[in-house]
Amino acid sequence: MKNKNSPLLILLIILLTCAFLVTSGCSSTEESKAQEEVSGMELVYGSEATSQADGDSESNTLILGEMWEIDSINTIDGDGGTLICEKAAVTETLVGANEDFSLKPRLASSWEQLDENTWEFRLRENVTFHDGSPMTANEVKFTLEKVIEVNPKVDSMLKIDSMEVVDNHTLKIKTTEINPILPGILHYPDTAVISPSSFDEAGEFVKPIGTGPYKFESFDEQTRVLTVVKNENWWGGEVGLDKMILKGIPDPNTRAMAIENGEVDFTVDVPYSETDRIDAIEGINVEKYKTPRVYKIDVNLKHEPLEDVRVRQAMSYAIDRAEIVEHVLYNVGEAATGPFLPTMVWANQSLSPYTRDLEKADELLTAAGWVDTDGDGIRDKDGEPLKLNMMTYSARPGLPPMAEAMAAQLKEAGIDVETEVMEMGSISDRKEKGNWDLYLAAYNIAMVPDPEYILTNWYMTGGPDNGPGYSNPEVDALIMEARKITDLEERYKKFNEVEAIVYDEQPMIIVAYYGCAIVKKDYVKGYVFDPTAHDYRINADMYLEK
Amino acid sequence: MKYFLKRAAFMALTLFAACALTFFLMNVIPGGTAELIIKHTFVGLEESVTEEQINQISSRYNLDDPLYLQFLRWVKEAVLRGDIGTSYVFKKPVLYLLALRLPATIQLAGASMVLSVLVGVSLGIYSALRENRISDHVLRIATLFGVSMPGFWVALILILIFSLKLKLVPVSGYGSLENLLLPAAALSLHSVAAVMRVTRTSMLETLGQEYIRFAKAKGLPVWKIISRHALKNAMLPVITVIGFQMGSLLGGAVVIEKIFAWPGIGSLLVDSISARDLPMVQGCVLAIVMMFLLVHFFVDMLYTHLDPRIRYG
């Protein structure tokens, strides 16, 4: 009796319960394993995957620390397209892009615009899928139909009316309206061509079967580790690595420590402030590149002070872009001029970034009637101080400190800016209500490698990403004209004019080009940064030299 | 038996209330559901969403229906068919996703509980026995540190020491015991400190009681006094604290899971909230509330064991 109620026994019960909780976890793991096997997926389990990774570290296997959690391997529904195409190199798109963002053939060998709404794509011959079947126009049509069905974004960009298989290697595409950027959209990873055997009989996506240098081997849905292996029959030639293991490590600090500890061979975007320290570690090198993304401030043109172009220009002069790049972004990025990277073939090369000039800012603000009358350091007009709010979000680590730094710089010019780091839902709510002044964000500028997409979305009256509510009939007319021009040089000239106008008017203050830090072990050879990728692209020539 | 039925009914009611509250609160926070689903799934966080896309998603997920109808539909499916929905973002059944992610969270929270109890209780007893000596002071300062240090910072320091310097355990990953050690240690630090403080206070109080003095006078060895007499009475408040710590363990898991790339439901819940993935949020809340209720049920049962004067009915 005494024994039964012993406190030690109670303690034991607690411990046993905890142990039970732990083991119950394990048994559920097994259940889910069984479940997944039923769904036809090949899976490698946690410890197995880890030990495999360890065991293979000697051979030609690259372990990659990816920056986002790997949630999905579905290439068409918007979730896994970029990962599978650019980072796992399992699938390929019809169209590729050069370093200057001009288009080049990939799975399509050539394309031609037959009339305003019709395009003809010739496909590369002798390309086979990882399941051994040949890639023909039928599979391309099948892929595009599937994407259109489930992915509203790609659907609205492609504007496809109908598709016709002319022969095994020719596909005709009719669009609902004139769509000169169609080939550019086919560079987008969600449109990468997959074999119909990627789906099961019920039409559910099972695994990506593409044409790329690496083929899908396994995806562990629980630990979310993706493994791909060399495609011996790649049409592009020899593939460098035997295997790649991709692990999602969402925390930048953890990524840094994982490569220091030798758990991954290749990763990206460690904390910007750590890049120099990590680069100094023997055996690891850090390379900084620009990616097609910009940090920019949307300016609410409906708010009285910001409606005045002089105030916007003064703000642009008050911001010290070089200092922000050096001290906030730790040189992972570059001071920006306009919406396009200077290396893009269509960028307006005659413009250069606004450099800090407080005198000029003072002149402009004074001319606009904003003077500091009460000596509190903040300019005012009709008794109202020049006070603005700036919203931003924390998903991209450079944004909150950038907002703070810019607020301090603007204050030196007499503009009082209050920064607010908010959740995306609150931001869109505030934008909808018009209750905002400035919005700092990072935008992708080469979702489609053509200037039309960005210029239309950002600067055209009513454009979907025209947050400021900017409207300039001249800009609208230029964009409309350029759309109809098929000669690329002529087309780009019109777009350059648009760029020059918005450079003067500053409805959006473009601050810096987004940077990407590639962190890799010295023995990872043959890596070439692709500036057209979303974050980074794994190229087939990469190999390990240990 | 009657008590168990009552208790089960109460649990069901709590679960229902939690779900209803989550459902309606998710709908009053700013930002359109359809718009955020599209941003998180199709167009990218920063880009705008067209009216057409919003309509397409709203009709696909019946988001235009009145709220109460949406909720009733969810309840009907959940109660009648045991189907708590399909994730808008992952496009897979919520139950399936929970089955994938829950084990990791249970392992992490369970291991942290074990650590909190083992380390917290033993250090608490030790500290009480050494009252006002140097080791007691050191331990009390250590608990202050444990209670006040943020979990993510502790996690990073632990990685720095045990992974980078000593090379004992991997930085991140899931699946083996060595993967579990650091996250569990980081997560449990707060609870260890809390349990230790309560154990020390409660133990001191018990040790001051007449019957302990009597036992001492009888010449019983200290370990016998502690294990046979003092511990049982001192454990009541400790167990209460352990029960409450479960909540903080589940909450703290969110950050720890992100740092260690641990595939649990904490990070899933946060991502689902920002993507307005309602069925997934509901599922996660359901799972967490259920775990919390079970732990508290268990704690209440332990009370009656520890102190037979406590009776439920």
Side-chain angles (χ1 to χ4, degrees):
Chain A
M1 197 61 204
K2 208 176 183 183
N3 249 350
K4 195 183 151 200
N5 286 330
S6 142
L8 283 178
L9 185 78
I10 306 288
L11 202 64
L12 199 70
I13 293 175
I14 300 176
L15 293 180
L16 281 177
T17 314
C18 295
F20 169 71
L21 283 174
V22 176
T23 44
S24 74
C26 296
S27 65
S28 319
T29 314
E30 249 124 59
E31 270 166 35
S32 58
K33 181 176 177 177
Q35 244 176 337
E36 281 149 23
E37 274 169 356
V38 170
S39 75
M41 280 195 149
E42 303 162 50
L43 295 161
V44 181
Y45 267 79
S47 52
E48 215 179 308
T50 323
S51 60
Q52 232 181 26
D54 294 341
D56 281 335
S57 59
E58 292 305 311
S59 70
N60 207 7
T61 295
L62 181 90
I63 302 172
L64 193 149
E66 156 58 8
M67 60 202 289
W68 308 108
E69 278 177 9
I70 302 175
D71 286 326
S72 166
I73 50 166
N74 192 332
T75 61
I76 57 165
D77 70 355
D79 272 347
T82 308
L83 175 91
I84 298 296
C85 179
E86 296 181 351
K87 298 165 181 177
V90 169
T91 55
E92 294 169 304
T93 48
L94 287 180
V95 177
N98 293 308
E99 272 194 25
D100 63 358
F101 292 80
S102 57
L103 301 180
K104 68 173 181 190
R106 192 173 277 150
L107 289 181
S109 52
S110 64
W111 52 90
E112 195 187 347
Q113 189 169 11
L114 299 179
D115 60 50
E116 274 206 343
N117 292 0
T118 319
W119 291 78
E120 190 175 85
F121 286 83
R122 290 282 310 160
L123 303 181
R124 199 178 284 278
E125 293 180 22
N126 303 322
V127 177
T128 49
F129 285 110
H130 298 148
D131 61 2
S133 63
M135 183 213 59
T136 69
N138 286 310
E139 285 81 27
V140 178
K141 181 169 178 263
F142 170 85
T143 304
L144 293 178
E145 279 169 353
K146 274 279 183 190
V147 178
I148 291 168
E149 187 189 320
V150 298
N151 194 324
K153 174 194 195 172
V154 180
D155 179 24
S156 65
M157 289 198 297
L158 285 172
K159 304 187 173 82
I160 291 181
D161 181 43
S162 64
M163 281 181 282
E164 182 196 337
V165 176
V166 180
D167 61 49
N168 259 352
H169 295 99
T170 315
L171 182 72
K172 219 182 248 182
I173 298 178
K174 260 192 180 336
T175 53
T176 51
E177 56 186 270
I178 181 165
N179 190 10
I181 58 172
L182 183 77
I185 296 161
L186 293 173
H187 169 258
Y188 195 65
D190 291 10
T191 66
V193 181
I194 45 171
S195 159
S197 58
S198 306
F199 297 84
D200 64 11
E201 278 165 13
E204 291 293 319
F205 188 91
V206 185
K207 60 181 180 183
I209 298 176
T211 58
Y214 293 95
K215 50 184 183 182
F216 173 87
E217 187 182 73
S218 63
F219 175 55
D220 181 340
E221 274 204 275
Q222 192 177 35
T223 61
R224 286 164 296 161
V225 173
L226 171 67
T227 310
V228 296
V229 290
K230 180 193 263 190
N231 173 12
E232 302 281 358
N233 303 314
W234 187 47
W235 60 271
E238 193 58 36
V239 180
L241 299 162
D242 291 334
K243 194 183 222 180
M244 265 201 300
I245 296 169
L246 293 90
K247 301 175 179 176
I249 307 177
D251 187 79
N253 284 303
T254 313
R255 285 200 294 277
M257 294 197 260
I259 195 157
E260 273 189 76
N261 207 26
E263 284 167 44
V264 298
D265 305 312
F266 183 106
T267 191
V268 287
D269 276 2
V270 295
Y272 297 154
S273 55
E274 291 274 286
T275 49
D276 291 341
R277 184 187 68 79
I278 292 172
D279 194 29
I281 297 173
E282 216 190 306
I284 303 179
N285 74 71
V286 180
E287 294 162 11
K288 297 169 184 176
Y289 298 97
K290 278 175 290 179
T291 57
R293 213 180 274 279
V294 293
Y295 293 105
K296 69 162 174 129
I297 307 173
D298 276 2
V299 176
N300 187 353
L301 299 176
K302 290 186 190 76
H303 271 198
E304 206 258 313
L306 297 168
E307 185 187 73
D308 192 328
V309 65
R310 290 168 297 190
V311 175
R312 304 197 298 266
Q313 286 170 337
M315 285 172 64
S316 215
Y317 279 119
I319 292 171
D320 192 338
R321 292 169 171 77
E323 193 162 306
I324 284 175
V325 168
E326 194 184 336
H327 294 118
V328 178
L329 300 176
Y330 296 88
N331 290 319
V332 188
E334 196 182 296
T337 313
F340 301 120
L341 293 171
T343 45
M344 287 173 160
V345 62
W346 56 80
N348 186 335
Q349 306 287 352
S350 62
L351 307 171
S352 57
Y354 276 71
T355 45
R356 190 168 214 222
D357 190 339
L358 283 180
E359 265 175 46
K360 221 165 195 168
D362 175 51
E363 265 170 44
L364 286 160
L365 286 169
T366 311
W370 293 97
V371 219
D372 181 12
T373 51
D374 52 8
D376 65 348
I378 302 301
R379 290 166 191 270
D380 47 83
K381 186 174 164 182
D382 308 328
E384 284 291 315
L386 187 46
K387 215 174 155 183
L388 304 168
N389 61 56
M390 187 192 290
M391 315 186 284
T392 192
Y393 50 93
S394 59
R396 296 190 182 274
L399 290 172
M402 242 171 133
E404 291 297 334
M406 287 192 292
Q409 291 174 351
L410 289 165
K411 195 154 194 179
E412 285 176 42
I415 304 169
D416 185 12
V417 176
E418 188 194 352
T419 60
E420 291 167 278
V421 180
M422 299 161 86
E423 190 248 357
M424 220 14 114
S426 317
I427 289 178
S428 54
D429 202 48
R430 285 266 293 269
K431 282 185 98 174
E432 205 166 290
K433 290 183 180 134
N435 175 23
W436 61 285
D437 298 316
L438 307 167
Y439 170 47
L440 175 67
Y443 272 75
N444 191 310
I445 48 169
M447 197 75 79
V448 171
D450 189 284
E452 185 197 320
Y453 181 71
I454 287 299
L455 293 181
T456 308
N457 279 10
W458 290 15
Y459 297 112
M460 200 141 146
T461 309
D465 281 318
N466 184 350
Y470 178 66
S471 176
N472 182 336
E474 203 186 339
V475 166
D476 292 355
L478 279 167
I479 295 176
M480 290 309 283
E481 274 171 48
R483 263 189 196 179
K484 296 196 181 93
I485 303 174
T486 40
D487 178 68
L488 285 182
E489 229 163 89
E490 285 301 308
R491 191 173 144 81
Y492 294 161
K493 262 189 202 153
K494 294 275 176 205
F495 289 134
N496 283 350
E497 283 179 53
V498 174
E499 232 187 293
I501 297 173
V502 296
Y503 177 83
D504 282 335
E505 304 216 317
Q506 294 285 306
M508 292 170 196
I509 299 174
I510 318 267
V511 184
Y513 298 120
Y514 203 91
C516 174
I518 300 286
V519 188
K520 55 185 175 55
K521 293 277 192 180
D522 285 347
Y523 54 71
V524 178
K525 304 282 184 194
Y527 175 71
V528 183
F529 183 76
D530 179 352
T532 71
H534 278 71
D535 300 300
Y536 59 96
R537 183 191 290 275
I538 292 298
N539 48 305
D541 308 334
M542 281 171 75
Y543 64 100
L544 302 186
E545 194 178 81
K546 285 194 188 172
Chain B
M1 191 62 205
K2 200 174 152 202
Y3 168 71
F4 276 101
L5 282 179
K6 236 178 167 174
R7 186 77 194 222
F10 174 71
M11 276 182 167
L13 200 69
T14 315
L15 280 178
F16 179 80
C19 285
L21 206 63
T22 316
F23 186 87
F24 292 108
L25 283 179
M26 280 295 292
N27 279 291
V28 294
I29 51 178
T33 306
E35 186 189 336
L36 287 165
I37 293 169
I38 297 170
K39 281 195 167 184
H40 279 262
T41 323
F42 301 111
V43 303
L45 207 57
E46 287 109 356
E47 283 163 273
S48 290
V49 172
T50 60
E51 207 50 45
E52 194 190 330
Q53 290 169 341
I54 292 184
N55 292 339
Q56 202 181 335
I57 292 298
S58 296
S59 64
R60 188 184 296 178
Y61 298 125
N62 297 317
L63 297 172
D64 291 332
D65 291 351
L67 271 190
Y68 74 93
L69 258 185
Q70 290 182 44
F71 182 65
L72 284 181
R73 198 181 305 124
W74 186 86
V75 173
K76 199 175 117 193
E77 290 285 305
V79 176
L80 293 185
R81 299 176 40 199
D83 177 8
I84 51 173
T86 301
S87 159
Y88 295 158
V89 171
F90 296 99
K91 299 164 200 90
K92 287 189 173 165
V94 170
L95 268 180
Y96 170 75
L97 291 165
L98 283 179
L100 276 181
R101 299 282 201 113
L102 206 53
T105 295
I106 294 177
Q107 276 179 33
L108 186 58
S112 305
M113 281 265 270
V114 172
L115 271 180
S116 317
V117 173
L118 279 184
V119 182
V121 170
S122 38
L123 285 183
I125 295 172
Y126 180 78
S127 189
L129 291 176
R130 305 246 139 203
E131 196 194 1
N132 289 331
R133 289 195 216 168
I134 290 188
S135 49
D136 178 37
H137 291 309
V138 169
L139 279 173
R140 281 168 67 193
I141 292 169
T143 53
L144 265 182
F145 175 84
V147 174
S148 46
M149 288 303 123
F152 72 92
W153 186 81
V154 172
L156 292 177
I157 297 291
L158 286 178
I159 297 181
L160 208 61
I161 298 173
F162 293 99
S163 298
L164 288 191
K165 292 272 176 264
L166 302 176
K167 307 260 176 216
L168 290 175
V169 282
V171 173
S172 73
Y174 170 72
S176 66
L177 187 66
E178 49 178 32
N179 286 132
L180 180 65
L181 287 175
L182 286 193
L187 185 57
S188 64
L189 188 76
H190 189 271
S191 314
V192 166
V195 170
M196 189 183 140
R197 284 173 80 98
V198 177
T199 310
R200 180 183 177 276
T201 319
S202 167
M203 192 48 103
L204 279 177
E205 206 174 292
T206 315
L207 289 179
Q209 305 269 340
E210 284 289 320
Y211 68 94
I212 300 288
R213 241 178 277 160
F214 175 69
K216 270 187 197 158
K218 230 168 54 170
L220 276 180
V222 178
W223 68 270
K224 244 184 191 166
I225 299 178
I226 299 288
S227 63
R228 288 267 169 87
H229 303 285
L231 194 58
K232 191 174 159 190
N233 288 321
M235 279 317 268
L236 266 185
V238 177
I239 287 190
T240 315
V241 168
I242 292 171
F244 281 116
Q245 283 302 317
M246 187 69 190
S248 85
L249 286 183
L250 290 170
V254 175
V255 184
I256 300 293
E257 281 176 10
K258 269 260 185 276
I259 291 178
F260 290 95
W262 190 262
I265 57 170
S267 47
L268 180 68
L269 175 61
V270 175
D271 292 345
S272 305
I273 291 173
S274 62
R276 299 291 188 279
D277 190 352
L278 268 172
M280 199 65 242
V281 174
Q282 293 277 75
C284 290
V285 169
L286 205 65
I288 290 174
V289 173
M290 195 107 94
M291 277 199 276
F292 199 71
L293 287 175
L294 282 176
V295 169
H296 275 260
F297 175 68
F298 184 69
V299 164
D300 287 351
M301 290 299 101
L302 263 185
Y303 280 165
T304 55
H305 257 278
L306 288 174
D307 188 347
R309 283 170 301 177
I310 302 174
R311 281 278 168 262
Y312 304 108

